[in-house]
Amino acid sequence: MMCEDCGKNPAKIHMTEIINENEKREYHLCEKCAQEKGFGLVKQHFSLSELLAGITAGQLTKAGQVPDVKCPSCGTTLAQFNTAGRFGCPEDYDAFAEHIRPRLEKYHDATQHVGKTPRRGLRPEGLSERLRALRAQLKQAVEAEAYERAAEIRDELKQLQAPGRAGAREQGRKKSAGD
Amino acid sequence: MTVDDLVRRVGDWLSGKGADSDVVISSRARLARNIAAFPFSTRLDDEGKAELENHGRKALEKSKVVGPGMYVDLFEASPLDRRLLVERHLISKEHEQGASHRGVQIGEDERVSIMVGEEDHLRIQVLLPGMAARDAWGRVDAMDTALESHVEYAFHPEFGYLTVCPTNVGTGLRVSVMVHLPALVITQQIDKVFGAVSRLNMAVRGLYGEGTEAVGHFYQISNQASLGKTEDEIVRNIEVVVPQIVQLERAARTALLEKDRARLEDRTWRAYGMLRHARMVTTEEALTMLSALRMGIDMGVIPKVSMDALNELFVFSQPAHLQKMEGRELEAAERDTVRAAYLRRRLEEAERN
């Protein structure tokens, strides 16, 4: 089928416009005419390589092109990560999550971890580790003036230090004293 | 156990034993882990790195995962000691060249080493002779699980174990197998093989890991992706790919022997003659000649040297090993003379036995 508008190029864009319940209009246009008519969806049928090129371009640190995202915990910016390819702290992964997924997809063909997971039983040593980590994060969040995040951390700290947990810690102390 | 003890013996992974040892030198599994309580190394100043090292070291001591052995403070260690550990494959080049507080815990038989304060807070590795990827992973896994009761790892439900570089995230696992592929190089099939390997999402590197050259026809084959696959799948992929490469190398060796025995013999005996008689030998020359000799020994065209003795020569003819044996630092030219003398002496001893 040729383009119904110019009749010179093969029609590649086929659209049905619904005007009202009983009235429809079909369009069969070539890319050029479709663009001229202002059908902005012409780029719908992108290729994978175009998509990847777009991602790469997005990662180039041309000023203003990279979204202004900053890790609330360590202060690393997305632009810094894009340049160095190295994260500043574990929190970066959350802060930059939507921006790093395409990168992970490209490198690993996946974004979801399916392997081993820590047992995280929060054994006594594990618990004090967690508390320590949270306190450090709280300090960093306050310094970075990320008060919302700071409040979340404070809540988690409170929860971990709640009386119900004390028994576990006490038990742990006895156990390690016996070593 | 001290670093000096290393030059008085051969690392277990160099024993020349293990499965497929005609082609496979060693198998390694390493896990990258970070401790949740600290920012990544990229955001640690000297003080922070000192604190991290202390923390990591204590956790290693408490967990006893490595067993008897030694801890080497690499900030305090001499450049020569650090180089020796690289030549022994116990630390990475990056860890050797680091500028701040860091260290490594090494097991007595040199199968296990845990780097503290490398790019990631902890790099746990197991190195075994021959094709033993699954065994290496099993041991690393057990150590990791034991360590986990003493440190809290940075872990994310979606991305898995979090690492400084996004190429290591997920399992944090890199399984690599060191292979010796001289016949595939000589018969000009190596590029074809590596093309196929990289299409299978595996990486090929030189003797000392990332960015190093493949001197002496030694290559490391490892998994590229660390995320989205289970550890078992990663190991299984290696277990599928490496034996095929081993088969190709063996076929190429047989073909060489059948079609061009004279050339193969000549190549081997020339290498032997040079190693046995030359008065100055560079590191690279030694590696190249030893590589030719290794293949000749495997194919029975030269009966003189045992594989154990040969493996020792590979490591001990490296600069830091030579200087340690001499007990002093040597200039490059002097090193070549000492290296030649060492090779002559050891090959002469091997001849007498």
Side-chain angles (χ1 to χ4, degrees), chain B residues 24-95:
Chain B
V24 182
I25 311 294
S26 59
S27 303
R28 188 179 72 114
R30 81 96 171 106
L31 283 176
R33 295 286 187 257
N34 286 281
I35 302 171
F38 290 87
F40 287 154
S41 61
T42 40
R43 282 269 164 186
L44 284 174
D45 54 15
D46 281 350
E47 204 182 319
K49 282 181 177 164
E51 205 185 322
L52 167 76
E53 193 200 356
N54 192 25
H55 189 87
R57 187 177 177 173
K58 274 196 187 136
L60 292 181
E61 275 166 17
K62 262 202 206 158
S63 68
K64 303 188 178 70
V65 284
V66 178
M70 62 175 163
Y71 186 88
V72 185
D73 178 339
L74 291 167
F75 189 54
E76 295 292 329
S78 71
L80 195 57
D81 281 4
R82 296 204 297 258
R83 188 72 226 165
L84 189 85
L85 296 173
V86 175
E87 291 176 5
R88 219 46 179 243
H89 293 274
L90 291 167
I91 63 171
S92 63
K93 264 191 167 171
E94 292 71 31
H95 211 40

Side-chain angles (χ1 to χ4, degrees), chain A residues 34-177:
Chain A
Q35 211 148 24
E36 277 167 10
K37 285 196 174 293
F39 292 117
L41 292 173
V42 174
K43 269 285 171 191
Q44 272 294 353
H45 57 125
F46 50 69
S47 71
L48 186 62
S49 60
E50 274 173 307
L51 184 69
L52 289 178
I55 290 162
T56 324
Q59 282 170 347
L60 292 175
T61 46
K62 265 192 204 161
Q65 229 178 17
V66 177
D68 186 18
V69 187
K70 190 174 180 177
C71 171
S73 182
C74 73
T76 299
T77 65
L78 181 60
Q80 284 171 333
F81 167 70
N82 281 343
T83 311
R86 300 284 187 276
F87 292 106
C89 78
E91 269 66 38
D92 288 9
Y93 278 91
D94 273 323
F96 308 152
E98 58 174 304
H99 305 284
I100 58 174
R101 280 193 194 97
R103 202 175 173 132
L104 295 175
E105 187 70 47
K106 204 169 149 193
Y107 194 84
H108 300 281
D109 261 343
T111 63
Q112 178 63 52
H113 174 61
V114 294
K116 186 176 181 176
T117 53
R119 285 179 305 175
R120 274 288 153 99
L122 287 192
R123 287 186 38 178
E125 299 94 327
L127 180 65
S128 63
E129 272 270 336
R130 183 73 195 142
L131 290 175
R132 197 194 130 95
L134 285 171
R135 285 192 199 107
Q137 285 169 22
L138 180 63
K139 189 168 158 245
Q140 281 167 349
V142 171
E143 275 167 13
E145 296 179 13
Y147 297 116
E148 211 170 303
R149 170 94 185 112
E152 282 172 27
I153 299 170
R154 200 193 48 223
D155 290 348
E156 199 181 332
L157 268 169
K158 265 191 195 155
Q159 217 175 359
L160 284 173
Q161 288 167 317
R165 285 273 181 185
R169 280 213 303 279
E170 200 48 49
Q171 215 179 347
R173 213 166 287 149
K174 271 179 208 152
K175 190 178 159 270
S176 59

Side-chain angles (χ1 to χ4, degrees), chain B residues 39-275:
Chain B
F40 287 154
S41 61
T42 40
R43 282 269 164 186
L44 284 174
D45 54 15
D46 281 350
E47 204 182 319
K49 282 181 177 164
E51 205 185 322
L52 167 76
E53 193 200 356
N54 192 25
H55 189 87
R57 187 177 177 173
K58 274 196 187 136
L60 292 181
E61 275 166 17
K62 262 202 206 158
S63 68
K64 303 188 178 70
V65 284
V66 178
M70 62 175 163
Y71 186 88
V72 185
D73 178 339
L74 291 167
F75 189 54
E76 295 292 329
S78 71
L80 195 57
D81 281 4
R82 296 204 297 258
R83 188 72 226 165
L84 189 85
L85 296 173
V86 175
E87 291 176 5
R88 219 46 179 243
H89 293 274
L90 291 167
I91 63 171
S92 63
K93 264 191 167 171
E94 292 71 31
H95 211 40
E96 175 202 14
Q97 287 157 9
S100 187
H101 297 278
R102 65 203 189 283
V104 61
Q105 179 81 39
I106 298 167
E108 201 163 35
D109 57 10
E110 294 177 47
R111 289 178 175 221
V112 176
S113 71
I114 302 185
M115 290 184 266
V116 183
E118 216 247 23
E119 179 178 275
D120 295 300
H121 295 156
L122 298 172
R123 290 270 177 109
I124 312 165
Q125 80 155 23
V126 168
L127 188 61
L128 298 175
M131 181 62 195
R134 185 157 296 275
D135 191 5
W137 154 242
R139 289 169 194 238
V140 156
D141 183 27
M143 289 202 297
D144 177 58
T145 304
L147 250 179
E148 199 201 292
S149 343
H150 299 270
V151 287
E152 192 195 330
Y153 290 141
F155 184 83
H156 191 280
E158 180 183 359
F159 304 127
Y161 291 93
L162 302 179
T163 54
V164 174
C165 183
T167 56
N168 294 316
V169 77
T171 58
L173 177 64
R174 185 88 57 220
V175 178
S176 57
V177 176
M178 204 202 293
V179 287
H180 187 218
L181 307 175
L184 286 173
V185 176
I186 294 170
T187 57
Q188 298 179 344
Q189 299 177 79
I190 199 84
D191 289 342
K192 224 165 46 190
V193 172
F194 289 162
V197 168
S198 55
R199 273 196 298 282
L200 292 166
N201 241 320
M202 304 250 166
V204 182
R205 301 193 172 95
L207 194 52
Y208 291 98
E210 221 161 320
T212 64
E213 262 178 78
V215 204
H217 307 147
F218 290 102
Y219 299 90
Q220 289 191 54
I221 297 172
S222 59
N223 61 301
Q224 183 90 258
S226 55
L227 176 66
K229 289 185 176 66
T230 63
E231 292 82 359
D232 183 65
E233 283 175 275
I234 291 171
V235 174
R236 220 180 316 139
N237 285 347
I238 289 279
E239 281 179 326
V240 167
V241 171
V242 173
Q244 292 184 39
I245 296 173
V246 170
Q247 289 308 326
L248 288 170
E249 168 66 18
R250 282 184 187 145
R253 288 184 192 183
T254 310
L256 275 178
L257 196 61
E258 279 167 7
K259 286 187 194 134
D260 216 351
R261 191 182 174 101
R263 195 180 297 276
L264 182 68
E265 285 183 345
D266 183 62
R267 196 173 167 273
T268 311
W269 282 101
R270 274 171 184 272
Y272 184 77
M274 180 163 141
L275 291 165

